[in-house]
Amino acid sequence: MYIRTIITYIFIIMLTVLEGLVAYILLLFSKDKKKLIYRGMKFYGFCSTKIIKWIGGVDVQIRGEQNIHEGSFIYASIHQSMADIVILSAIINNPAYILKKELLRVPIVGYYIGICGMIPISRSQSVKDMRVIKEQTSRLIVQKRSLIIFPQGTRQVPKEPLQLKRGLEMIYTHMNVPVIPIVLNTGSYINKNGFIFKKGTITVSFLPPIEAGLDKKTLMQTLHENLQQELNNIQ
């Protein structure tokens, strides 16, 4: 298991460095840098999931593909592993994420985050952060892009009690778009920090959209019930 995990990470690191350098060179000559980065994210997610499958022994199956939509939606996803972002980026076209501001200081990664319109916020989630979120999510609506958010606020291990943070409420009210719940069980095969791969098949389940315009309490209750029920089914 450990040897397989090490080899998997060697290939992912090689992919990261190679794509990062190639993308950097292409960006020097590209007239549409954002479009190039969006395609690069999709390609990176696709290649990473193949490496995880072929070397790590962890496959990915998708349920509810009919619930994946183009345009502006909020995808509210369970978060169990570092691999979640990679997997979702391979499935959903051109998404934006709310990320920790510290990632902007990571070489290469921070540069690409700045170009492709991700939403970096501090851990404290200050009033200034809330203003940035509103400004950036307004742009997503104009650009007809979707937002992926992890309402748990942090990675949680499987079978931990499901707890949702209230930050989603403000974004939902501001964007006034449907919420598509996503349930995945990555934590059963790739641990919280992504260091151990256990052979098996990850299920990524896209549930029917929750309509826009609900009051905050109804939204959070409905989302919690839908996530928990599907989580119980696939864990």
Side-chain angles (χ1 to χ4, degrees):
M1 181 186 297
Y2 293 101
I3 293 176
R4 188 173 67 246
T5 298
I6 292 171
I7 296 174
T8 300
Y9 265 99
I10 289 173
F11 274 84
I12 289 177
I13 291 170
M14 290 170 60
L15 169 67
T16 303
V17 173
L18 179 61
E19 182 172 344
L21 291 175
V22 171
Y24 183 78
I25 293 171
L26 292 176
L27 283 171
L28 297 176
F29 305 97
S30 175
K31 295 181 179 179
D32 192 343
K33 291 181 170 57
K34 288 186 177 181
K35 189 174 182 179
L36 178 63
I37 293 297
Y38 300 152
R39 290 180 175 177
M41 285 175 57
K42 187 87 171 179
F43 180 75
Y44 181 81
F46 172 81
C47 291
S48 295
T49 54
K50 294 304 179 185
I51 291 173
I52 291 171
K53 175 183 177 180
W54 294 333
I55 303 175
V58 182
D59 200 359
V60 176
Q61 67 172 357
I62 303 172
R63 292 182 181 176
E65 287 188 74
Q66 71 275 12
N67 296 317
I68 304 174
H69 299 283
E70 298 293 330
S72 292
F73 289 83
I74 298 171
Y75 288 91
S77 177
I78 293 292
H79 195 20
Q80 294 186 349
S81 170
M82 290 175 63
D84 296 339
I85 294 177
V86 173
I87 292 170
L88 294 177
S89 295
I91 300 171
I92 300 171
N93 289 326
N94 191 17
Y97 292 87
I98 294 179
L99 302 171
K100 295 174 183 176
K101 190 176 289 185
E102 289 81 2
L103 289 173
L104 290 174
R105 295 196 290 267
V106 178
I108 300 178
V109 174
Y111 175 71
Y112 293 141
I113 288 174
I115 291 177
C116 62
M118 301 301 174
I119 305 175
I121 62 172
S122 62
R123 293 179 183 272
S124 62
Q125 296 187 19
S126 63
V127 173
K128 182 179 179 181
D129 289 323
M130 297 302 105
R131 186 166 60 248
V132 169
I133 290 174
K134 286 185 176 181
E135 291 174 355
Q136 294 293 339
T137 51
S138 294
R139 291 181 186 176
L140 295 181
I141 295 172
V142 174
Q143 298 167 351
K144 297 182 178 180
R145 294 178 65 193
S146 286
L147 173 70
I148 297 178
I149 186 170
F150 300 109
Q152 292 161 286
T154 187
R155 296 186 295 275
Q156 293 186 343
V157 298
K159 299 183 179 179
E160 254 187 356
L162 180 60
Q163 297 180 347
L164 305 181
K165 304 292 186 181
R166 300 187 63 180
L168 173 61
E169 297 175 356
M170 182 273 289
I171 298 171
Y172 171 77
T173 302
H174 177 69
M175 291 186 71
N176 194 32
V177 298
V179 173
I180 301 175
I182 304 175
V183 179
L184 25 64
N185 58 349
T186 45
S188 297
Y189 305 98
I190 305 174
N191 74 346
K192 184 176 178 179
N193 296 315
F195 295 134
I196 303 295
F197 290 86
K198 176 184 175 183
K199 285 188 176 182
T201 300
I202 294 169
T203 298
V204 183
S205 184
F206 291 84
L207 305 183
I210 299 171
E211 64 184 297
L214 300 177
D215 63 84
K216 296 176 181 179
K217 183 177 180 180
T218 302
L219 165 69
M220 298 307 288
Q221 285 182 344
T222 304
L223 178 61
H224 189 282
E225 290 172 3
N226 291 355
L227 290 174
Q228 188 63 69
Q229 182 176 3
E230 185 66 9
L231 199 56
N232 293 339
N233 290 337
I234 67 174
Q235 282 193 146

